[in-house]
mmCIF file of all heavy atoms in Angstrom:
data_model
loop_
_atom_site.group_PDB
_atom_site.id
_atom_site.type_symbol
_atom_site.label_atom_id
_atom_site.label_comp_id
_atom_site.label_asym_id
_atom_site.label_seq_id
_atom_site.Cartn_x
_atom_site.Cartn_y
_atom_site.Cartn_z
ATOM 1 N N LEU T 1 -3.709 -1.007 5.134
ATOM 2 C CA LEU T 1 -4.052 0.130 4.285
ATOM 3 C C LEU T 1 -3.691 1.385 5.051
ATOM 4 O O LEU T 1 -3.825 1.437 6.282
ATOM 5 C CB LEU T 1 -5.543 0.141 3.939
ATOM 6 C CG LEU T 1 -6.136 -1.113 3.298
ATOM 7 C CD1 LEU T 1 -7.654 -1.011 3.266
ATOM 8 C CD2 LEU T 1 -5.589 -1.290 1.883
ATOM 9 N N GLY T 2 -3.249 2.405 4.349
ATOM 10 C CA GLY T 2 -2.906 3.631 5.046
ATOM 11 C C GLY T 2 -2.685 4.788 4.102
ATOM 12 O O GLY T 2 -2.595 4.626 2.878
ATOM 13 N N GLY T 3 -2.612 5.966 4.676
ATOM 14 C CA GLY T 3 -2.362 7.161 3.890
ATOM 15 C C GLY T 3 -2.012 8.320 4.788
ATOM 16 O O GLY T 3 -2.231 8.289 6.008
ATOM 17 N N SER T 4 -1.438 9.353 4.188
ATOM 18 C CA SER T 4 -1.079 10.557 4.930
ATOM 19 C C SER T 4 -1.186 11.756 4.011
ATOM 20 O O SER T 4 -1.106 11.631 2.781
ATOM 21 C CB SER T 4 0.342 10.453 5.506
ATOM 22 O OG SER T 4 1.299 10.356 4.464
ATOM 23 N N ALA T 5 -1.363 12.929 4.608
ATOM 24 C CA ALA T 5 -1.439 14.170 3.841
ATOM 25 C C ALA T 5 -0.989 15.310 4.730
ATOM 26 O O ALA T 5 -1.231 15.298 5.947
ATOM 27 C CB ALA T 5 -2.859 14.410 3.334
ATOM 28 N N GLY T 6 -0.333 16.299 4.115
ATOM 29 C CA GLY T 6 0.093 17.453 4.883
ATOM 30 C C GLY T 6 1.199 18.209 4.178
ATOM 31 O O GLY T 6 1.543 17.937 3.017
ATOM 32 N N SER T 7 1.766 19.167 4.884
ATOM 33 C CA SER T 7 2.877 19.938 4.330
ATOM 34 C C SER T 7 4.146 19.097 4.352
ATOM 35 O O SER T 7 4.293 18.171 5.161
ATOM 36 C CB SER T 7 3.071 21.231 5.125
ATOM 37 O OG SER T 7 3.198 20.967 6.509
ATOM 38 N N PHE T 8 5.069 19.439 3.443
ATOM 39 C CA PHE T 8 6.316 18.683 3.303
ATOM 40 C C PHE T 8 7.400 19.666 2.888
ATOM 41 O O PHE T 8 7.394 20.158 1.750
ATOM 42 C CB PHE T 8 6.139 17.581 2.262
ATOM 43 C CG PHE T 8 7.305 16.639 2.144
ATOM 44 C CD1 PHE T 8 7.565 15.699 3.126
ATOM 45 C CD2 PHE T 8 8.150 16.709 1.043
ATOM 46 C CE1 PHE T 8 8.631 14.835 3.023
ATOM 47 C CE2 PHE T 8 9.228 15.843 0.925
ATOM 48 C CZ PHE T 8 9.473 14.903 1.919
ATOM 49 N N TYR T 9 8.294 19.985 3.831
ATOM 50 C CA TYR T 9 9.279 21.048 3.630
ATOM 51 C C TYR T 9 8.544 22.308 3.194
ATOM 52 O O TYR T 9 7.653 22.766 3.917
ATOM 53 C CB TYR T 9 10.377 20.599 2.665
ATOM 54 C CG TYR T 9 11.270 19.542 3.305
ATOM 55 C CD1 TYR T 9 11.015 18.184 3.130
ATOM 56 C CD2 TYR T 9 12.317 19.907 4.130
ATOM 57 C CE1 TYR T 9 11.790 17.218 3.758
ATOM 58 C CE2 TYR T 9 13.112 18.951 4.759
ATOM 59 C CZ TYR T 9 12.847 17.605 4.572
ATOM 60 O OH TYR T 9 13.605 16.663 5.200
ATOM 61 N N ASP T 10 8.822 22.878 2.014
ATOM 62 C CA ASP T 10 8.132 24.110 1.618
ATOM 63 C C ASP T 10 6.949 23.835 0.695
ATOM 64 O O ASP T 10 6.444 24.742 0.029
ATOM 65 C CB ASP T 10 9.104 25.065 0.927
ATOM 66 C CG ASP T 10 9.809 24.440 -0.265
ATOM 67 O OD1 ASP T 10 9.815 23.193 -0.362
ATOM 68 O OD2 ASP T 10 10.347 25.192 -1.098
ATOM 69 N N GLY T 11 6.487 22.582 0.631
ATOM 70 C CA GLY T 11 5.371 22.237 -0.238
ATOM 71 C C GLY T 11 4.401 21.302 0.452
ATOM 72 O O GLY T 11 4.186 21.370 1.670
ATOM 73 N N ARG T 12 3.828 20.364 -0.341
ATOM 74 C CA ARG T 12 2.836 19.430 0.180
ATOM 75 C C ARG T 12 3.150 18.028 -0.320
ATOM 76 O O ARG T 12 3.770 17.837 -1.369
ATOM 77 C CB ARG T 12 1.424 19.821 -0.279
ATOM 78 C CG ARG T 12 0.943 21.162 0.225
ATOM 79 C CD ARG T 12 -0.532 21.377 -0.116
ATOM 80 N NE ARG T 12 -0.766 21.375 -1.547
ATOM 81 C CZ ARG T 12 -0.677 22.437 -2.340
ATOM 82 N NH1 ARG T 12 -0.341 23.603 -1.800
ATOM 83 N NH2 ARG T 12 -0.918 22.344 -3.631
ATOM 84 N N ARG T 13 2.661 17.050 0.445
ATOM 85 C CA ARG T 13 2.784 15.654 0.032
ATOM 86 C C ARG T 13 1.531 14.894 0.448
ATOM 87 O O ARG T 13 1.021 15.067 1.555
ATOM 88 C CB ARG T 13 4.010 14.981 0.671
ATOM 89 C CG ARG T 13 4.187 13.512 0.274
ATOM 90 C CD ARG T 13 5.446 12.926 0.897
ATOM 91 N NE ARG T 13 5.267 12.654 2.318
ATOM 92 C CZ ARG T 13 4.948 11.462 2.824
ATOM 93 N NH1 ARG T 13 4.740 10.430 2.009
ATOM 94 N NH2 ARG T 13 4.822 11.293 4.120
ATOM 95 N N VAL T 14 1.051 14.050 -0.452
ATOM 96 C CA VAL T 14 -0.049 13.146 -0.175
ATOM 97 C C VAL T 14 0.422 11.742 -0.522
ATOM 98 O O VAL T 14 1.033 11.530 -1.574
ATOM 99 C CB VAL T 14 -1.310 13.499 -0.989
ATOM 100 C CG1 VAL T 14 -2.420 12.484 -0.725
ATOM 101 C CG2 VAL T 14 -1.788 14.902 -0.653
ATOM 102 N N SER T 15 0.163 10.769 0.355
ATOM 103 C CA SER T 15 0.601 9.405 0.084
ATOM 104 C C SER T 15 -0.514 8.424 0.405
ATOM 105 O O SER T 15 -1.328 8.658 1.301
ATOM 106 C CB SER T 15 1.852 9.055 0.894
ATOM 107 O OG SER T 15 1.534 8.885 2.258
ATOM 108 N N LEU T 16 -0.550 7.338 -0.340
ATOM 109 C CA LEU T 16 -1.447 6.217 -0.097
ATOM 110 C C LEU T 16 -0.636 4.938 -0.200
ATOM 111 O O LEU T 16 0.294 4.852 -1.015
ATOM 112 C CB LEU T 16 -2.594 6.191 -1.111
ATOM 113 C CG LEU T 16 -3.601 7.334 -1.055
ATOM 114 C CD1 LEU T 16 -4.553 7.248 -2.249
ATOM 115 C CD2 LEU T 16 -4.386 7.303 0.249
ATOM 116 N N ARG T 17 -0.968 3.953 0.607
ATOM 117 C CA ARG T 17 -0.258 2.680 0.543
ATOM 118 C C ARG T 17 -1.221 1.548 0.883
ATOM 119 O O ARG T 17 -2.179 1.730 1.645
ATOM 120 C CB ARG T 17 0.933 2.657 1.503
ATOM 121 C CG ARG T 17 0.551 2.728 2.962
ATOM 122 C CD ARG T 17 1.761 2.798 3.873
ATOM 123 N NE ARG T 17 1.392 2.768 5.274
ATOM 124 C CZ ARG T 17 0.989 3.815 5.968
ATOM 125 N NH1 ARG T 17 0.905 5.008 5.383
ATOM 126 N NH2 ARG T 17 0.663 3.700 7.241
ATOM 127 N N MET T 18 -0.974 0.401 0.306
ATOM 128 C CA MET T 18 -1.770 -0.772 0.625
ATOM 129 C C MET T 18 -0.912 -2.011 0.437
ATOM 130 O O MET T 18 -0.053 -2.065 -0.441
ATOM 131 C CB MET T 18 -3.021 -0.853 -0.255
ATOM 132 C CG MET T 18 -2.744 -1.025 -1.723
ATOM 133 S SD MET T 18 -4.285 -1.248 -2.644
ATOM 134 C CE MET T 18 -3.637 -1.557 -4.302
ATOM 135 N N SER T 19 -1.153 -3.006 1.271
ATOM 136 C CA SER T 19 -0.429 -4.277 1.175
ATOM 137 C C SER T 19 -1.357 -5.404 1.615
ATOM 138 O O SER T 19 -1.156 -5.986 2.688
ATOM 139 C CB SER T 19 0.843 -4.251 2.017
ATOM 140 O OG SER T 19 0.532 -3.917 3.364
ATOM 141 N N PRO T 20 -2.391 -5.697 0.828
ATOM 142 C CA PRO T 20 -3.318 -6.770 1.194
ATOM 143 C C PRO T 20 -2.713 -8.143 0.935
ATOM 144 O O PRO T 20 -1.706 -8.286 0.228
ATOM 145 C CB PRO T 20 -4.520 -6.513 0.281
ATOM 146 C CG PRO T 20 -3.925 -5.872 -0.927
ATOM 147 C CD PRO T 20 -2.771 -5.046 -0.425
ATOM 148 N N ALA T 21 -3.341 -9.161 1.485
ATOM 149 C CA ALA T 21 -2.954 -10.554 1.249
ATOM 150 C C ALA T 21 -4.231 -11.368 1.108
ATOM 151 O O ALA T 21 -5.182 -11.191 1.876
ATOM 152 C CB ALA T 21 -2.105 -11.089 2.402
ATOM 153 N N LEU T 22 -4.239 -12.248 0.111
ATOM 154 C CA LEU T 22 -5.426 -13.034 -0.187
ATOM 155 C C LEU T 22 -5.012 -14.447 -0.540
ATOM 156 O O LEU T 22 -4.116 -14.657 -1.360
ATOM 157 C CB LEU T 22 -6.198 -12.411 -1.359
ATOM 158 C CG LEU T 22 -7.385 -13.203 -1.906
ATOM 159 C CD1 LEU T 22 -8.483 -13.304 -0.858
ATOM 160 C CD2 LEU T 22 -7.909 -12.565 -3.178
ATOM 161 N N ASN T 23 -5.660 -15.420 0.084
ATOM 162 C CA ASN T 23 -5.428 -16.823 -0.248
ATOM 163 C C ASN T 23 -6.523 -17.302 -1.194
ATOM 164 O O ASN T 23 -7.690 -17.410 -0.803
ATOM 165 C CB ASN T 23 -5.405 -17.684 1.016
ATOM 166 C CG ASN T 23 -4.121 -17.526 1.793
ATOM 167 O OD1 ASN T 23 -4.027 -16.649 2.647
ATOM 168 N ND2 ASN T 23 -3.133 -18.346 1.480
ATOM 169 N N ILE T 24 -6.134 -17.586 -2.446
ATOM 170 C CA ILE T 24 -7.070 -18.129 -3.418
ATOM 171 C C ILE T 24 -7.494 -19.532 -2.981
ATOM 172 O O ILE T 24 -8.645 -19.929 -3.116
ATOM 173 C CB ILE T 24 -6.440 -18.167 -4.815
ATOM 174 C CG1 ILE T 24 -5.946 -16.774 -5.208
ATOM 175 C CG2 ILE T 24 -7.420 -18.705 -5.844
ATOM 176 C CD1 ILE T 24 -7.031 -15.724 -5.248
ATOM 177 N N SER T 25 -6.554 -20.275 -2.464
ATOM 178 C CA SER T 25 -6.786 -21.584 -1.874
ATOM 179 C C SER T 25 -5.651 -21.809 -0.892
ATOM 180 O O SER T 25 -4.807 -20.933 -0.695
ATOM 181 C CB SER T 25 -6.800 -22.680 -2.954
ATOM 182 O OG SER T 25 -5.486 -22.910 -3.455
ATOM 183 N N ARG T 26 -5.599 -22.984 -0.280
ATOM 184 C CA ARG T 26 -4.487 -23.243 0.634
ATOM 185 C C ARG T 26 -3.191 -23.489 -0.119
ATOM 186 O O ARG T 26 -2.136 -23.633 0.494
ATOM 187 C CB ARG T 26 -4.798 -24.422 1.541
ATOM 188 C CG ARG T 26 -5.001 -25.758 0.848
ATOM 189 C CD ARG T 26 -5.225 -26.843 1.875
ATOM 190 N NE ARG T 26 -5.349 -28.167 1.281
ATOM 191 C CZ ARG T 26 -5.245 -29.288 1.966
ATOM 192 N NH1 ARG T 26 -5.016 -29.253 3.260
ATOM 193 N NH2 ARG T 26 -5.367 -30.454 1.373
ATOM 194 N N HIS T 27 -3.250 -23.506 -1.460
ATOM 195 C CA HIS T 27 -2.057 -23.703 -2.282
ATOM 196 C C HIS T 27 -1.522 -22.397 -2.874
ATOM 197 O O HIS T 27 -0.363 -22.344 -3.285
ATOM 198 C CB HIS T 27 -2.355 -24.678 -3.427
ATOM 199 C CG HIS T 27 -2.803 -26.029 -2.981
ATOM 200 N ND1 HIS T 27 -1.935 -26.948 -2.441
ATOM 201 C CD2 HIS T 27 -4.023 -26.617 -2.984
ATOM 202 C CE1 HIS T 27 -2.601 -28.060 -2.128
ATOM 203 N NE2 HIS T 27 -3.870 -27.877 -2.446
ATOM 204 N N VAL T 28 -2.367 -21.358 -2.970
ATOM 205 C CA VAL T 28 -1.977 -20.129 -3.670
ATOM 206 C C VAL T 28 -2.269 -18.920 -2.791
ATOM 207 O O VAL T 28 -3.391 -18.764 -2.289
ATOM 208 C CB VAL T 28 -2.722 -19.990 -5.010
ATOM 209 C CG1 VAL T 28 -2.287 -18.698 -5.719
ATOM 210 C CG2 VAL T 28 -2.465 -21.191 -5.899
ATOM 211 N N GLU T 29 -1.259 -18.070 -2.625
ATOM 212 C CA GLU T 29 -1.427 -16.815 -1.892
ATOM 213 C C GLU T 29 -0.917 -15.666 -2.746
ATOM 214 O O GLU T 29 0.151 -15.745 -3.354
ATOM 215 C CB GLU T 29 -0.660 -16.846 -0.564
ATOM 216 C CG GLU T 29 -0.815 -15.559 0.244
ATOM 217 C CD GLU T 29 -0.116 -15.613 1.581
ATOM 218 O OE1 GLU T 29 1.105 -15.366 1.622
ATOM 219 O OE2 GLU T 29 -0.796 -15.910 2.580
ATOM 220 N N ILE T 30 -1.686 -14.578 -2.782
ATOM 221 C CA ILE T 30 -1.319 -13.370 -3.528
ATOM 222 C C ILE T 30 -1.157 -12.228 -2.534
ATOM 223 O O ILE T 30 -2.042 -11.983 -1.708
ATOM 224 C CB ILE T 30 -2.389 -13.017 -4.577
ATOM 225 C CG1 ILE T 30 -2.555 -14.163 -5.579
ATOM 226 C CG2 ILE T 30 -2.022 -11.737 -5.313
ATOM 227 C CD1 ILE T 30 -3.666 -13.930 -6.581
ATOM 228 N N ARG T 31 -0.039 -11.510 -2.629
ATOM 229 C CA ARG T 31 0.217 -10.369 -1.751
ATOM 230 C C ARG T 31 0.674 -9.178 -2.595
ATOM 231 O O ARG T 31 1.869 -8.939 -2.754
ATOM 232 C CB ARG T 31 1.276 -10.714 -0.699
ATOM 233 C CG ARG T 31 0.905 -11.861 0.209
ATOM 234 C CD ARG T 31 1.822 -11.970 1.416
ATOM 235 N NE ARG T 31 3.225 -11.973 1.072
ATOM 236 C CZ ARG T 31 3.919 -13.026 0.671
ATOM 237 N NH1 ARG T 31 3.298 -14.200 0.532
ATOM 238 N NH2 ARG T 31 5.185 -12.945 0.388
ATOM 239 N N PRO T 32 -0.275 -8.406 -3.147
ATOM 240 C CA PRO T 32 0.124 -7.204 -3.881
ATOM 241 C C PRO T 32 0.451 -6.069 -2.914
ATOM 242 O O PRO T 32 0.025 -6.071 -1.754
ATOM 243 C CB PRO T 32 -1.117 -6.881 -4.719
ATOM 244 C CG PRO T 32 -2.252 -7.425 -3.908
ATOM 245 C CD PRO T 32 -1.721 -8.634 -3.176
ATOM 246 N N GLY T 33 1.186 -5.090 -3.403
ATOM 247 C CA GLY T 33 1.486 -3.910 -2.610
ATOM 248 C C GLY T 33 1.667 -2.714 -3.517
ATOM 249 O O GLY T 33 2.176 -2.840 -4.643
ATOM 250 N N TYR T 34 1.223 -1.561 -3.040
ATOM 251 C CA TYR T 34 1.326 -0.362 -3.878
ATOM 252 C C TYR T 34 1.467 0.860 -2.982
ATOM 253 O O TYR T 34 0.669 1.059 -2.059
ATOM 254 C CB TYR T 34 0.098 -0.225 -4.770
ATOM 255 C CG TYR T 34 0.137 0.953 -5.716
ATOM 256 C CD1 TYR T 34 1.155 1.081 -6.660
ATOM 257 C CD2 TYR T 34 -0.842 1.942 -5.666
ATOM 258 C CE1 TYR T 34 1.195 2.151 -7.525
ATOM 259 C CE2 TYR T 34 -0.815 3.020 -6.531
ATOM 260 C CZ TYR T 34 0.209 3.124 -7.456
ATOM 261 O OH TYR T 34 0.252 4.194 -8.317
ATOM 262 N N ASP T 35 2.494 1.667 -3.241
ATOM 263 C CA ASP T 35 2.707 2.937 -2.554
ATOM 264 C C ASP T 35 2.751 4.040 -3.600
ATOM 265 O O ASP T 35 3.478 3.926 -4.603
ATOM 266 C CB ASP T 35 4.038 2.939 -1.789
ATOM 267 C CG ASP T 35 4.068 1.945 -0.646
ATOM 268 O OD1 ASP T 35 3.115 1.156 -0.525
ATOM 269 O OD2 ASP T 35 5.046 1.955 0.118
ATOM 270 N N ILE T 36 2.004 5.117 -3.365
ATOM 271 C CA ILE T 36 2.026 6.256 -4.269
ATOM 272 C C ILE T 36 2.234 7.519 -3.448
ATOM 273 O O ILE T 36 1.641 7.681 -2.378
ATOM 274 C CB ILE T 36 0.732 6.338 -5.112
ATOM 275 C CG1 ILE T 36 0.800 7.533 -6.074
ATOM 276 C CG2 ILE T 36 -0.516 6.391 -4.234
ATOM 277 C CD1 ILE T 36 -0.332 7.567 -7.068
#
């Protein structure tokens, strides 16, 4: 999980990101990811 905030060239930028991983069982793994 992570994020950043601050100035960006002549403006501003805010970002968030996540990339968790979860094993439902030893047969199924889910790895979603989202960057904004």
Side-chain angles (χ1 to χ4, degrees):
L1 305 170
S4 63
S7 53
F8 187 73
Y9 290 93
D10 55 342
R12 297 188 299 273
R13 180 178 75 97
V14 177
S15 72
L16 294 172
R17 65 184 184 278
M18 64 175 184
S19 55
L22 173 65
N23 285 89
I24 305 300
S25 72
R26 63 177 183 164
H27 301 286
V28 180
E29 181 177 83
I30 300 176
R31 300 193 309 278
Y34 182 59
D35 295 7
I36 181 172

